[in-house]
Amino acid sequence: MKDKTLTSPANAAPPSRADFVRVAEAHRRALKLHCYRMLGSLHEAEDAVQETMLRAWRGFDDFEARASIKNWLYRIATNVALNMASRSKHGRTMPDRLNGPSTMRPQGRPDAETLWIEPYPDAELESLPDPAAGPDVRYELRESVRFAFITTIQQLPPRQRAALLLADVLGWSAIEVAAVLDASVASVNSALQRARAKLATLDWDARPAPIADEQQRSLLERYVRAWESADLERFVSLLREDAVYSMPPWREWYQGRSSIADFFRAVWPAYRGFRLVPVGANLQPAFALYSLGAEGRWNAHSIQLLALDESQIGAMTMFMQPLAQKLFTAFRLPKVLEP
């Protein structure tokens, strides 16, 4: 995990602040993804990276050029994320982690108090190298950004989460992780053991059944047609028998093809029409959903995230308003879709 950027022999001139800015900016996207894995929030990840860069700039004079700038930045970012995580008593979650599946339509208002896990735009992952090159890496890039993985690791205590991400996702040694967490190697190994054991008991599928590109394309085309033609039967036929549907910030969620069909059978008649725009999130199929308003405009409705398995849809998450309002901005999507 050695990073030769911004390092120099003992007798060389120390790096300038201009050198530091150039190298630090080169790591910004990777740091943001690391903070997202830590926090489960796209917006908090951005705040964490901003704070990381500010702290690094202020502490530049204490930086030793013999050290790795990459490791130094990750150390700052990890501790910033740990501080942010400590402010929340329960951390971020999803509806299916809070209670059992619902059989009735949502009542009242969406839950604005709970911190919900957010999707991550694929555009932010462009040009990021996959660190899965060393023997210590357990999760490849695609696995480590899947929404199921992000949701699951949020259930780990923050320091265990940090140790797991640094060691098993980034491939750092226990010695390097210990330096970041200001802990002993023994305590890091113990935290890793507990985190891996906990992760093994939680309900998440690391490797869904593969689906060929042509099958996926056909499935998604049928999915879009079902929504845009309001064809409930076609939509339901695309779901796996045990499919899961959730819609944060509402706490209710639904499991099973028939239960999901009952929900949409009740709500679809209230809408005049839909348009779907593919966006991509967490390296999974995703769409921006627009609904037709009374004034004839297509208005931002929600962000859909799909998990495909065995040529069917195994999970569908719709991030609804008011949460979707921030996500449309983060995904650089218009609030009103032009004809």
Side-chain angles (χ1 to χ4, degrees), residues 9-134:
N11 59 349
S16 66
R17 284 188 176 267
D19 293 329
F20 164 76
V21 170
R22 173 180 52 81
V23 176
E25 283 300 319
H27 290 295
R28 178 181 286 271
R29 277 197 171 185
L31 289 168
K32 183 176 177 179
L33 178 57
H34 175 64
C35 292
Y36 169 70
R37 291 185 181 115
M38 280 288 302
L39 299 166
S41 166
L42 172 63
H43 296 88
E44 287 189 353
E46 181 62 43
D47 291 343
V49 171
Q50 295 285 18
E51 178 65 19
T52 296
M53 294 302 184
L54 180 61
R55 291 189 185 187
W57 177 261
R58 289 174 174 171
F60 175 75
D61 292 337
D62 296 327
F63 170 68
E64 296 182 7
R66 295 188 303 276
S68 161
I69 178 64
K70 178 179 179 180
N71 286 22
W72 185 58
L73 288 170
Y74 269 97
R75 177 172 187 161
I76 298 173
T78 300
N79 282 286
V80 168
L82 286 171
N83 289 338
M84 293 176 69
S86 68
R87 300 171 194 165
S88 170
K89 183 177 180 180
H90 300 292
R92 290 186 176 265
T93 187
M94 290 294 288
D96 61 328
R97 307 288 176 171
L98 296 176
N99 44 48
S102 184
T103 56
M104 300 180 62
R105 289 178 59 181
Q107 303 294 321
R109 295 179 177 274
D111 184 349
E113 300 300 322
T114 298
L115 297 177
W116 302 105
I117 300 171
E118 300 170 353
Y120 199 81
D122 283 358
E124 296 284 347
L125 302 172
E126 294 176 0
S127 304
L128 277 183
D130 191 336

Side-chain angles (χ1 to χ4, degrees), residues 223-230 235 264 268 274 276 289 304:
Y223 178 82
V224 171
R225 285 199 300 270
W227 271 92
E228 296 191 344
S229 63
F235 163 66
F264 280 101
W268 264 10
F274 294 109
L276 271 68
L289 181 68
Q304 297 182 341

Side-chain angles (χ1 to χ4, degrees), residues 198-217:
K198 177 70 172 177
L199 206 61
T201 66
L202 296 174
D203 182 20
W204 81 288
D205 184 10
R207 295 175 178 84
I211 177 171
D213 289 344
E214 187 59 37
Q215 285 180 304
Q216 175 170 308
R217 185 159 45 250

Side-chain angles (χ1 to χ4, degrees), residues 152-164:
T152 303
I153 62 173
Q154 300 309 307
Q155 298 179 71
L156 298 174
R159 287 181 67 83
Q160 285 186 27
R161 193 186 316 156
L164 182 87

